[in-house]
Amino acid sequence: MLETWNSALLGSVRARRTNVVWKLYEEMMGSGVAGDVDTVEYLIQAFCIDNNVLKGFGLLRQVL
């Protein structure tokens, strides 16, 4: 299940559609699926695309 979510997140990041990334992530969390390292990577990339590097860095710090 997680592989499917991550694949959708990655596709959205590659398409630079961060609005889709955030919507998918919201649905993923709502369905009770826990993310992994790949999920965090895609979220950080989405933050960077959105020019919100500080939020991306904050997420990285939380994970570390």
Side-chain angles (χ1 to χ4, degrees), residues 2 5 23-36 39 43:
L2 178 59
W5 284 107
K23 180 68 176 159
L24 286 170
Y25 183 67
E26 180 181 327
E27 290 179 22
M28 180 179 149
M29 292 292 97
S31 68
V33 176
D36 64 2
T39 309
L43 296 177

Side-chain angles (χ1 to χ4, degrees), residues 5-32:
W5 284 107
N6 279 343
S7 179
L9 290 170
L10 176 59
S12 300
V13 166
R14 286 183 175 165
R16 303 184 67 80
R17 296 288 310 273
T18 58
N19 60 321
V20 177
V21 171
W22 303 124
K23 180 68 176 159
L24 286 170
Y25 183 67
E26 180 181 327
E27 290 179 22
M28 180 179 149
M29 292 292 97
S31 68

Side-chain angles (χ1 to χ4, degrees), residues 19-62:
N19 60 321
V20 177
V21 171
W22 303 124
K23 180 68 176 159
L24 286 170
Y25 183 67
E26 180 181 327
E27 290 179 22
M28 180 179 149
M29 292 292 97
S31 68
V33 176
D36 64 2
V37 174
D38 291 329
T39 309
V40 172
E41 175 188 351
Y42 306 142
L43 296 177
I44 291 171
Q45 287 181 35
F47 278 128
C48 291
I49 291 168
D50 284 344
N51 291 316
N52 204 337
V53 176
L54 288 178
K55 278 195 175 181
F57 182 69
L59 178 57
L60 177 61
R61 286 185 52 159
Q62 285 178 12

